């Protein structure tokens, strides 16, 4: 049994739904469903992954990219600026970045690290690079802190309800009764 998909009828005066100018069924559903859905997805991704945070992650990730550009050190240093207090010595970072670049440009026999864990092992002599790779592993890309706090609040309330003793319950009941019975 094959279902025939039809284009909804169009009228001159439309009150309850959109009236799209389309000639074919495919064109109608592209305008009515596909394009609004894609617009929604793009807006959600833009709000979920804010541009500055995403750009910062991209700049730090250049540490683990085998192709080094000319301004590699400056780009990484610009991305690391908010985290400079986490580094051992921010002023020594540019030198370490040059050394990191030189290690991989000169020694072609070594395999470039494919994961942050491999890069972490290979950066044992460069403490700032190690910290940056650690940051890259734990850096949040999304902004869901509010959602996480609601989840934590729910767990905390559940814990408090389940561990309440009879003495505490009686004390809370007395507090509530004295508060509501006072004249205002």
């Amino acid at each position: 049994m094959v279902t025939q998909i039809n284009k909804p009828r169009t009228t001159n005066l439309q009150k309850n739904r959109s009236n799209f100018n389309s000639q074919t069924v495919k064109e109608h559903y592209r305008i009515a469903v596909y394009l609004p859905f894609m617009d929604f997805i793009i807006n959600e991704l833009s709000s979920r992954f804010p541009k500055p945070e995403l750009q910062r992650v991209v700049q730090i990730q250049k540490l683990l990219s085998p192709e080094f550009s000319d301004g590699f050190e400056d780009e990484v240093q610009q991305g690391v600026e908010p985290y400079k207090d986490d580094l051992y010595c921010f002023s020594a970072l540019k030198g370490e970045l040059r050394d990191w670049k030189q290690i991989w440009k000169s020694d072609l026999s070594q395999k470039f690290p494919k994961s942050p864990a491999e890069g972490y092992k290979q950066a044992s002599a460069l403490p700032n690079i190690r910290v940056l790779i650690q940051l890259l592993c734990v850096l949040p890309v999304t902004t869901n802190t509010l959602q996480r706090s609601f989840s934590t609040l729910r767990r905390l309330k559940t814990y408090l309800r389940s561990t309440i003793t009879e003495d505490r319950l009686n004390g809370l009941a007395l507090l509530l009764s004295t508060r509501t019975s006072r004249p205002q």
Side-chain angles (χ1 to χ4, degrees):
M1 181 176 185
V2 177
T3 304
Q4 182 73 21
I5 299 175
N6 296 322
K7 184 176 104 173
R9 66 183 180 89
T10 56
T11 61
N12 292 335
L13 183 63
Q14 191 74 291
K15 291 183 179 181
N16 296 325
R17 62 184 169 165
S18 300
N19 207 9
F20 298 105
N21 288 333
S22 58
Q23 303 303 320
T24 64
V25 174
K26 185 176 180 180
E27 185 181 1
H28 171 77
Y29 283 103
R30 186 173 78 66
I31 294 170
V33 178
Y34 177 74
L35 292 177
F37 178 71
M38 291 307 292
D39 188 42
F40 171 77
I41 293 293
I42 289 168
N43 287 334
E44 286 297 311
L45 285 172
S46 298
S47 68
R48 186 63 118 162
F49 300 106
K51 194 105 173 137
E53 284 83 2
L54 191 60
Q55 185 64 29
R56 193 174 304 130
V57 171
V58 168
Q59 287 172 327
I60 298 173
Q61 262 185 333
K62 291 186 184 223
L63 281 172
L64 300 175
S65 171
E67 291 88 29
F68 296 104
S69 60
D70 289 336
F72 161 76
E73 296 93 353
D74 295 327
E75 286 182 56
V76 172
Q77 206 165 10
Q78 184 182 9
V80 173
E81 187 73 32
Y83 308 107
K84 65 182 176 185
D85 295 336
D86 297 325
L87 299 176
Y88 290 106
C89 181
F90 184 71
S91 58
L93 177 64
K94 197 162 193 165
E96 284 190 27
L97 288 170
R98 264 190 247 118
D99 292 346
W100 180 255
K101 182 178 173 180
Q102 196 59 37
I103 288 169
W104 298 111
K105 288 238 178 198
S106 63
D107 193 3
L108 298 174
S109 64
Q110 268 187 316
K111 286 187 174 180
F112 195 80
K114 289 186 173 40
S115 70
E118 288 178 24
Y120 184 79
K121 288 177 189 172
Q122 293 171 345
S124 59
L126 306 167
N128 286 327
I129 300 293
R130 281 184 83 129
V131 170
L132 289 179
I133 292 172
Q134 281 179 321
L135 273 173
L136 190 60
C137 289
V138 298
L139 198 64
V141 178
T142 63
T143 55
N144 62 353
T145 53
L146 186 64
Q147 186 178 8
R148 234 183 291 144
S149 67
F150 284 143
S151 169
T152 306
L153 182 64
R154 188 177 309 122
R155 278 184 287 164
L156 179 63
K157 287 169 117 178
T158 304
Y159 169 75
L160 287 173
R161 284 186 195 124
S162 65
T163 58
I164 195 165
T165 61
E166 192 173 329
D167 291 338
R168 183 166 179 239
L169 184 61
N170 289 338
L172 288 172
L174 282 172
L175 277 173
L176 187 63
S177 67
T178 56
R179 195 165 187 225
T180 55
S181 63
R182 269 192 283 168
Q184 306 231 341

